[in-house]
Structure formats: C-alpha cells, structure tokens
Amino acid sequence: MKFCEDIFGDKPWIISGPCSAETEEQTLATARQLAANGIKVFRAGIWKPRTRPGNFEGVGEVGLDWLKEVKKETGMLTSTEVANAKHVWSAIKSGIDIIWIGARTTANPFMMQDIAESLKGCNIPVLVKNPVNPDVELWLGAIERLESVGLNKIGLIHRGFSSYEKLLYRNAPGWKIAMEIKRRRPDLPLFCDPSHIAGKREYLFELSQKALDLNLDGLMIESHINPDKAWSDAKQQLTPADLKEMLDRLVVRKVAPEQASLDSLNELRYQIDQMDHELIDLLRKRMDVCIKIGEYKKANNMTVYQPTRWDTILNKYSAMARERNLDEQFIGQVFTAIHDASVNLQTKVFNGTI
Ligand code: PEP
Ligand code: MN
C-alpha cells in the first residue's frame, strides 16, 4: 500500500488517460487537461489486446516517446499495459513508471511466468487486472508469480468478467470476487476499472460509487480528449472535464466512523453476531434431523432426492419471503444451498460414510 500512498496521497487514488495512445497530439492534449484537473497518474495503452484481429492494435513503441513527453510536460507519472517480456523491456527502458497486466494476460500462467522473469531485479510498481474469467485463484497465482521474483509494489485492478450472456454492462461486475481478493490479500491496493466493467460512459458514476462504497482504494478510468472519435473503447471514455465533474460527485465514505456512532454500530453488530450464532446452531439441528430422514429413506428403500417435495417447499418459502418483504431470489439461494447440503449429507448416510 505504501507505494500508492506515496504516489497518490489521499484516497481515492485515481489513474486516468485514454484507452489507447493514438497520436502524439491526442495523448498530450488529454494529459494536459487531466494534469490540470489534479490527476497524478496517466494511463495509455500502446499495445492493445483486441478480441478480433483487424481492429486498432495500438501504436506500439512510438507511443512510449509520447508518454515520456507527457511526463516531462505535465509531471504526471505514466503507466501502460505490458503483455510479454519484450513490452516489459521497452517500457522500462523508456522510463514508464507503472505497468499493468491486462485481463487476458493474467489468465495465462505461461505469459505471467515470462513477464515475472523479465521483471526480475526491477522495482517498478505492477498493477494486475483480474483474469477475464471469475477465478480468484488464477488472479492470486499471477500475483504470486510476480512476488516470487522479488517484486513488492503490486496492486490489483478489478475490471469485471466476461460473460456469454448479454448484460447491462460490458463485463459482469462480480463484486464478490473483488471482496474475496481483498479478504485474501488485504495488504495489496485494490483499484476498480469502472470503464471496462461499464462499456458505456453512462454507467461510470454508479460503478465508481459502488467501488468506493465497497472500500476499494482507487479507480482507473479511461479519459479521452474526444471520446466519440476514440480508436478503441469510444463509448466508455469521458472527456477530462466530464471525468472531473464525475469524480467531484463521488461520495467518499470512511471505514471507521467517529467513536459515538461506532458504539451504536458495535451494538448492532453484536445483535447480528447473536443471530448468526443462532442460525449456525439451527443449521446443526436441522442437519441432525436430515440424517435421521436419510436413515429412514435408506431403511425404506426410498431415493434421497424427492423433486416434488423440493419444488413444494421452494414455492412455499418464496411465498413466505414475499409476505415478509424479503428478496425472493435471495431466499431461493439460501434454501437451495441448504437443500444441496442436506442431499449431500443423506447421500453419505446411504453410502455409509457418515
Ligand atoms: C485496457 O485497460 O485498456 C484494457 C485492455 O483492459 P482489460 O485488460 O481490462 O480488458
Ligand atoms: Mn480500453
């Protein structure tokens, strides 16, 4: 975390710049306005991983000279995406301050290993985007490969997950994965990239606010001097002025409030803890009854799973949830999980492993 505190100062830590560096003018014009609005770290992709060939694949090495110019003129630190050892060498040689690993690269252990080895001995900050698929272990694995060569300025970027289904957003937010990675690696700074989750600029505010409400540390947001004319990701980019307006609207909340409100929060948490304990005890009792039912079914040669009974109780509980103003889908998920666990337990009774 320390390296981010040193770079950015107060939270939320903001990284911004165009999806791609397109021309020297576009890169510098965007950078000048962002710097004037107080942005400290500039992003621009120069090697672009595109889903289909034939789209704009980045300007390549010449973009590194433009980023050098950005740094010289504005004083912002510069960052770009690297996807192989060659990119790493070029970026480091030209004085890039921070590199990031794209979602398609994080998903590939061979590429991560090569990149990690090429970074040996460098102390450059590396931000690792989540893999395109919602796999926390794969994300952790990529980080561990970098750590195993001695890197210790590592950060995370949550940018959502690919989905076959058509979604409101371009990528599924999968917030629970962001929370899980934060639980597993509380020592690492966690950024959100609302641009690649949203796919459309109209959703950027709500996603950014949600990220801050979940206590993420910073945001990487795409900004372009003329978003509609951008050569990549045109729909999701904001002008530097619109970015400033959006950032100003975000509400930054504290994790730990003042002592007085903390006391009432503790009281409420105490109540929740009591109820959770009761829930656990109840689940234990419920499982004990399930075991007895399993024994009965076994003795009477009945199947473990009885679809009509399950359908009846699921409907009954949905109706009860409605009456009590509880989210039906949530209650459905809870009882499906309980039912699955009961079926597993009874299967164990059947095959004698319990
Ligand atoms: C990007 O940041 O421009 C990019 C390509 O992101 P991702 O790897 O998240 O798709
Ligand atoms: Mn992009």
Side-chain angles (χ1 to χ4, degrees):
M1 290 277 191
K2 173 88 171 61
F3 75 94
C4 281
E5 283 158 16
D6 293 345
I7 293 172
F8 296 95
D10 287 346
K11 287 188 200 175
W13 301 325
I14 310 293
I15 302 171
S16 186
C19 178
S20 305
E22 299 160 4
T23 64
E24 186 166 10
E25 296 68 47
Q26 164 259 0
T27 306
L28 277 159
T30 309
R32 281 184 201 115
Q33 291 196 10
L34 289 171
N37 291 342
I39 303 296
K40 296 195 172 112
V41 177
F42 185 72
R43 64 148 282 156
I46 59 173
W47 298 288
K48 299 301 299 177
R50 305 313 298 273
T51 303
R52 306 283 296 268
N55 290 323
F56 172 59
E57 292 188 327
V59 292
E61 296 222 355
V62 67
L64 291 171
D65 295 334
W66 307 342
L67 289 174
K68 237 188 235 174
E69 198 48 39
V70 165
K71 184 170 176 168
K72 202 167 113 205
E73 223 192 271
T74 68
M76 279 192 287
L77 299 188
T78 56
S79 65
T80 199
E81 172 175 345
V82 295
N84 58 40
K86 198 166 160 289
H87 295 164
V88 168
W89 291 323
S90 306
I92 288 184
K93 203 166 67 201
S94 90
I96 290 287
D97 300 286
I98 298 170
I99 53 179
W100 84 80
I101 310 288
R104 296 156 192 80
T105 310
T106 308
N108 186 325
F110 289 130
M111 289 162 82
M112 282 311 304
Q113 190 60 33
D114 274 356
I115 291 173
E117 280 162 27
S118 72
L119 280 164
K120 212 178 198 143
C122 305
N123 205 17
I124 188 165
V126 185
L127 306 179
V128 185
K129 290 200 172 194
N130 63 258
V132 277
N133 52 324
D135 185 339
V136 181
E137 297 298 321
L138 199 55
W139 198 0
L140 288 168
I143 297 156
E144 285 156 7
R145 284 174 203 279
L146 296 171
E147 288 178 326
S148 72
V149 301
L151 293 178
N152 61 11
K153 294 181 185 164
I154 294 177
L156 304 162
I157 305 177
H158 176 70
R159 51 77 78 198
F161 305 92
S162 298
S163 161
Y164 185 65
E165 268 112 68
K166 192 108 196 63
L167 306 168
L168 176 66
Y169 302 133
R170 174 178 173 185
N171 284 296
W175 294 111
K176 63 178 177 222
I177 296 190
M179 288 189 273
E180 174 63 7
I181 199 95
K182 190 82 181 158
R183 187 182 73 81
R184 303 275 289 270
R185 293 302 307 260
D187 55 319
L188 301 182
L190 177 57
F191 290 80
C192 176
D193 171 348
S195 307
H196 289 91
I197 298 179
K200 278 202 193 142
R201 59 182 76 89
E202 68 199 82
Y203 301 131
L204 289 172
F205 174 76
E206 66 195 44
L207 289 165
S208 302
Q209 185 64 61
K210 172 98 183 184
L212 298 191
D213 290 346
L214 291 177
N215 198 27
L216 272 67
D217 303 295
L219 302 167
M220 176 190 257
I221 308 185
E222 288 183 340
S223 175
H224 190 288
I225 194 74
N226 188 356
D228 290 330
K229 292 275 150 52
W231 299 359
S232 60
D233 291 349
K235 292 201 183 80
Q236 70 194 30
Q237 304 202 57
L238 287 176
T239 62
D242 287 345
L243 173 74
K244 181 176 181 336
E245 187 271 329
M246 190 200 81
L247 293 176
D248 287 346
R249 272 193 296 138
L250 291 173
V251 180
V252 183
R253 298 185 167 93
K254 294 191 205 107
V255 186
E258 318 304 323
Q259 192 54 43
S261 63
L262 209 55
D263 290 344
S264 55
L265 178 65
N266 283 342
E267 168 55 29
L268 294 170
R269 282 193 173 145
Y270 176 78
Q271 289 180 28
I272 288 276
D273 288 350
Q274 295 298 307
M275 288 186 245
D276 287 347
H277 290 178
E278 281 170 32
L279 268 176
I280 296 220
D281 286 342
L282 259 181
L283 284 171
R284 178 63 263 166
K285 277 193 207 150
R286 194 186 188 285
M287 290 303 170
D288 289 339
V289 176
C290 277
I291 292 174
K292 292 208 179 98
I293 296 180
E295 285 162 356
Y296 177 92
K297 287 179 184 163
K298 188 179 181 185
N300 290 282
N301 221 15
M302 291 166 72
T303 57
V304 166
Y305 178 48
Q306 321 241 289
T308 46
R309 154 112 181 121
W310 171 227
D311 191 49
T312 315
I313 47 181
L314 202 53
N315 286 334
K316 189 167 87 189
Y317 295 157
S318 293
M320 285 173 73
R322 259 196 314 276
E323 275 166 26
R324 286 160 178 76
N325 206 13
L326 279 164
D327 186 278
E328 266 181 79
Q329 201 195 356
F330 162 65
I331 294 297
Q333 284 166 344
V334 170
F335 279 96
T336 303
I338 292 176
H339 182 257
D340 285 352
S342 300
V343 168
N344 283 340
L345 203 59
Q346 291 187 15
T347 309
K348 285 188 183 151
V349 172
F350 271 47
N351 62 30
T353 51
I354 204 165

